[in-house]
Amino acid sequence: MDYLSAIQSVMNPMCLLCILLGVAVGMVVGTLPGLTSVMAISLITPLTFKLNPTYGFAMLLGVYNSAIFSGGISAIAINTPGTPASIATTFDGYKISQRGRAGFALGVNTIYSVIGGLFSTIALMVACAPLARLALNFGSPEYFWLALFGLSMMISVSHASLAKGLVTGFVGMLLATVGLDPLLGSKRFVGNNISLMDGIAFIPVMIGLFGVGEMLFQIFEHKKEDDNKKDIVDLKDKERVLPTKEEHKRMTIPGLIGSVIGVLVGIVPGTGGDISALISWDVCKRVSRHPEEFGDGSVEGLATTCASNNASIGGALTTALALGIPGDGNTAVLLGALTMYGMVTGPTLLSNSAPFVCRLYIIMIVANLIILPLGLLSAKACIRLLSIKSQYIQMAVLLICCVGAYSMNRNYTDVIVMFIAGICGFFFRKYDYPLGPMILGLLLGDMCETNLRRTLMLSNGSYLQLFTGPISIGLIVLILLAIGWPFISNLFQKKKNKKVEG
């Protein structure tokens, strides 16, 4: 790949401005609890369609990296993670801030989030191309099993209730059938609405589920809180932010462990920064010389969780760019944005759009380098955001949702789809139905159906064609492991509990 040309393109003032704007928006969204990185990317995506794809993705990747990092700010300041990826940051970050070292904790969060982000970007650059070259050998049967493997992640992202996850996943797959038949061109479920001929647009559904649905849930379900009573730490003007050499020595190995685990976990579809950070925290506690400090203000625990949640970004993007399978909700929206830009996602993306993908690598590096000084200098301002009343935030997000859904195609049908998805998102949240499976069903349903039907047409209706070839067999094994692993782990856990009780 021509990295020199990519660097020249990214160093364009307009591209740098888009990255900076994305980082700033991500910091605001990530700091405020209740606003997620998926929501932020969904809201910003329609606003980028008038831009050059490079500039648009510069803004989106800026939001993605920054929102994950800044979720740790509220975790440290008020013991409430700004994004799910920062759940483990509360274990030690808040305890450190309560001891009068909030500035130090915020500095560690910034530095090791950037280290994790840069490490994962390098891993992305190394692993993405070989994985995509392997996937170029895929035919219709392999693509079918690949899509089914992505859909099998419904089980892992369903968490407590598998049945509820399958329900929302099935709804997403049904929505993917609306529009013209991919092989015959006949109408399906469109009625007399011409706007649905191309299918239900992905972005309005995402905005509705994660934007409107979340805000409606907060408005109708959460009790009004007195924002003035929040226990927000006070960041002193002359408080030390940068760690000392001795502190860095203690945090280097945990930061490296968190980075490696973050990349590896992020590659697995259906996982994310929250899972990788929890695993990293547990691993570092087991190998640490001071395990008793973990959960009580350990600098090692804070460093590994901050590095791990940002390192999962590169892992998730590796799966998304090389295979076209979203690693998490954020990459699902990014894949949807690529489709809206007219690009074909999947293994052919790297061969057909190699210069563009190369620019994405450089954008990731630049975004992390911007986060470093901006995060260290703006920590106090970000903490002040936590005093904004939730009612103002909710109204602003709902307004942005409406503008974003309409501006994509200037079509009122998209706004209607958004509100319907928002109402569904509200009820899904109210009754604990996970949204992740619905995203997978909507994004991968068409890929699964099209390649299954194409395979059967080429084989004159024989299903045996699906089970020939080493790649197909390998993917089938992965699917069986993905489906069976939760049940196997639960069985081992029950046996372990019985031994403890005995």
Side-chain angles (χ1 to χ4, degrees):
M1 291 186 178
D2 189 357
Y3 286 104
L4 182 59
S5 176
I7 292 172
Q8 291 175 341
S9 299
V10 174
M11 289 302 149
N12 181 295
M14 181 63 182
C15 189
L16 291 175
L17 178 61
C18 288
I19 299 174
L20 182 60
L21 287 174
V23 169
V25 171
M27 286 187 67
V28 173
V29 171
T31 302
L32 295 171
L35 304 184
T36 65
S37 55
V38 180
M39 181 192 302
I41 298 172
S42 299
L43 296 179
I44 294 296
T45 296
L47 306 180
T48 66
F49 289 150
K50 301 298 181 183
L51 298 174
N52 177 294
T54 300
Y55 299 161
F57 251 74
M59 191 176 296
L60 295 177
L61 289 177
V63 173
Y64 188 8
N65 285 271
S66 181
I68 299 298
F69 134 75
S70 59
I73 295 175
S74 58
I76 292 168
I78 60 174
N79 202 29
T80 303
T83 59
S86 299
I87 291 173
T89 304
T90 61
F91 297 169
D92 295 291
Y94 185 66
K95 294 287 181 64
I96 294 175
S97 69
Q98 288 295 92
R99 294 171 184 165
R101 304 188 70 195
F104 165 77
L106 292 171
V108 171
N109 176 58
T110 302
I111 293 170
Y112 282 87
S113 292
V114 170
I115 289 174
L118 292 173
F119 181 90
S120 73
T121 303
I122 295 172
L124 170 66
M125 296 167 69
V126 171
C128 197
L131 188 59
R133 281 196 293 269
L134 172 65
L136 286 175
N137 297 318
F138 287 14
S140 296
E142 288 80 10
Y143 275 115
F144 165 72
W145 290 117
L146 182 63
L148 201 61
F149 172 63
L151 291 172
S152 70
M153 291 300 114
M154 289 180 186
I155 294 174
S156 63
V157 300
S158 295
H159 303 298
S161 177
L162 174 59
K164 290 180 177 179
L166 292 177
V167 168
T168 55
F170 185 65
V171 170
M173 292 181 71
L174 286 178
L175 292 177
T177 64
V178 176
L180 296 178
D181 186 290
L183 297 181
L184 303 178
S186 56
K187 296 180 183 178
R188 300 191 304 188
F189 312 115
V190 299
N192 295 321
N193 193 332
I194 300 176
S195 301
L196 295 178
M197 296 283 280
D198 292 330
I200 294 178
F202 180 77
I203 299 301
V205 174
M206 292 291 295
I207 293 174
L209 286 175
F210 290 98
V212 177
E214 178 63 31
M215 292 303 101
L216 290 177
F217 181 78
Q218 291 185 20
I219 291 169
F220 288 103
E221 293 296 312
H222 291 182
K223 294 180 180 179
K224 292 183 178 180
E225 298 177 355
D226 185 357
D227 294 292
N228 295 324
K229 292 182 180 180
K230 286 182 180 178
D231 185 19
I232 304 175
V233 297
D234 181 27
L235 192 62
K236 300 175 184 178
D237 292 332
K238 296 183 179 180
E239 188 173 341
R240 180 167 61 88
V241 174
L242 298 176
T244 62
K245 289 183 178 180
E246 290 73 19
E247 289 167 335
H248 269 304
K249 287 180 180 178
R250 284 194 62 184
M251 293 185 290
T252 298
I253 298 301
L256 180 60
I257 292 173
S259 298
V260 173
I261 292 176
V263 171
L264 296 177
V265 173
I267 288 174
V268 180
T271 60
D274 51 347
I275 297 175
S276 67
L278 290 168
I279 294 174
S280 300
W281 188 86
D282 183 64
V283 170
C284 284
K285 181 180 179 180
R286 294 174 186 273
V287 302
S288 174
R289 295 180 180 178
H290 307 282
E292 71 283 353
E293 295 181 3
F294 279 69
D296 191 37
S298 169
V299 294
E300 298 173 47
L302 177 61
T304 193
T305 57
C306 294
S308 187
N309 55 26
N310 272 69
S312 67
I313 295 174
L317 283 172
T318 300
T319 308
L321 295 177
L323 302 178
I325 300 293
D328 56 10
N330 297 289
T331 48
V333 183
L334 292 176
L335 285 177
L338 281 173
T339 303
M340 296 298 176
Y341 286 137
M343 298 184 184
V344 178
T345 58
T348 58
L349 178 65
L350 271 76
S351 56
N352 296 339
S353 306
F356 175 75
V357 175
C358 189
R359 288 194 287 270
L360 297 188
Y361 299 155
I362 305 302
I363 287 169
M364 287 280 291
I365 294 174
V366 173
N368 279 284
L369 294 178
I370 290 176
I371 287 172
L372 184 59
L374 198 62
L376 293 173
L377 295 174
S378 63
K380 195 167 186 178
C382 287
I383 288 180
R384 287 175 181 168
L385 288 173
L386 297 171
S387 62
I388 298 176
K389 291 185 177 181
S390 59
Q391 294 92 328
Y392 298 152
I393 298 171
Q394 291 158 0
M395 290 301 103
V397 170
L398 288 174
L399 179 61
I400 295 172
C401 286
C402 294
V403 173
Y406 177 76
S407 64
M408 187 177 69
N409 295 315
R410 296 187 178 181
N411 189 340
Y412 287 108
T413 301
D414 289 339
V415 181
I416 295 171
V417 168
M418 178 201 71
F419 274 113
I420 294 174
I423 294 170
C424 291
F426 166 71
F427 284 106
F428 286 158
R429 289 278 283 112
K430 180 179 175 66
Y431 295 105
D432 295 323
Y433 281 79
L435 299 178
M438 187 170 178
I439 299 169
L440 291 172
L442 180 60
L443 194 64
L444 299 176
D446 180 65
M447 178 181 175
C448 186
E449 178 201 2
T450 301
N451 286 286
L452 174 61
R453 292 173 60 188
R454 185 178 288 126
T455 301
L456 294 177
M457 289 175 65
L458 294 173
S459 62
N460 295 320
S462 174
Y463 286 90
L464 292 177
Q465 187 67 27
L466 293 170
F467 300 92
T468 58
I471 297 178
S472 294
I473 300 301
L475 288 170
I476 292 171
V477 172
L478 289 176
I479 292 169
L480 293 175
L481 287 174
I483 294 174
W485 180 251
F487 301 102
I488 295 172
S489 61
N490 287 336
L491 183 63
F492 278 115
Q493 187 63 38
K494 287 179 181 179
K495 289 184 177 180
K496 184 178 179 181
N497 293 336
K498 285 182 180 179
K499 289 182 179 180
V500 173
E501 291 173 1

